[in-house]
Amino acid sequence: MSSQHEHKKMDDVDPGLNSSDLDVIESNQTEANGKKEKYPYVVFLIIVNEFCERFSFYGMRTILFIYFTQFIKMNEDTATAVYHAYSSLCYFTPILGAIIADGFIGLYSTIVSLSIVYFIGETIVKLTMVEYKPMKPSAIIAPKIGVK
């Protein structure tokens, strides 16, 4: 391998190089720096945020129809239409997020602000599903002191 390829950055690598050539270039970069570069901590925050968002999305899809029909008392046709609108919006709103991120407030601000909006929506749904039943004070205190 020629020395001109050894000093190129990974972005400037010829597309004709095979994976072993790329490994040599990467190892030369690591040796030149003296240590392997670490990922920024923001990468891990994005991964955790994506995990939470996916977990929330699939959890919401699981209970959404039941929520519409049992708690809000929608008829099945309307609940089905709203459910499919929610599913469609979840797949198309990343385009809007990309426009906001690239054109206005930046990547990380967009992730944080839209995650807060998503969290508020999830919180509203969860709080409206909780049935409020007033409890006697003894029902709150008794389990703590072991009295029935």
Side-chain angles (χ1 to χ4, degrees), residues 2-78:
S2 67
S3 63
Q4 71 183 36
H5 288 300
E6 292 177 359
H7 298 291
K8 285 187 174 186
K9 292 182 180 177
M10 290 301 289
D11 298 335
D12 302 328
V13 174
D14 294 339
L17 296 176
N18 61 28
S19 63
S20 64
D21 293 336
L22 295 177
D23 292 338
V24 170
I25 292 170
E26 184 177 343
S27 68
N28 286 339
Q29 287 178 347
T30 303
E31 291 169 7
N33 296 340
K35 62 180 181 178
K36 197 167 189 173
E37 293 184 26
K38 295 181 179 179
Y39 289 109
Y41 78 95
V42 177
V43 171
F44 299 106
L45 295 177
I46 291 172
I47 291 170
V48 168
N49 185 38
E50 184 63 23
F51 171 76
C52 292
E53 187 268 332
R54 289 285 103 193
F55 183 77
S56 177
F57 170 71
Y58 288 114
M60 181 61 72
R61 277 188 51 183
T62 303
I63 64 167
L64 196 58
F65 187 79
I66 296 168
Y67 175 74
F68 288 147
T69 57
Q70 302 294 319
F71 290 94
I72 297 183
K73 306 293 186 202
M74 283 185 183
N75 65 28
E76 288 191 14
D77 293 335
T78 305

Side-chain angles (χ1 to χ4, degrees), residues 127-148:
L127 290 177
T128 59
M129 289 180 74
V130 175
E131 187 176 338
Y132 176 71
K133 293 182 182 179
M135 295 177 19
K136 295 185 268 181
S138 62
I140 297 170
I141 298 171
K144 292 182 182 176
I145 58 173
V147 178
K148 291 190 177 200

Side-chain angles (χ1 to χ4, degrees), residues 105-117:
I105 63 175
L107 175 67
Y108 302 118
S109 299
T110 302
I111 291 171
V112 169
S113 60
L114 294 179
S115 294
I116 290 169
V117 170

Side-chain angles (χ1 to χ4, degrees), residues 76-109:
E76 288 191 14
D77 293 335
T78 305
T80 301
V82 174
Y83 171 82
H84 289 298
Y86 169 79
S87 295
S88 298
L89 281 173
C90 285
Y91 287 109
F92 289 115
T93 52
I95 297 169
L96 178 62
I99 293 169
I100 292 170
D102 291 343
F104 299 104
I105 63 175
L107 175 67
Y108 302 118
S109 299

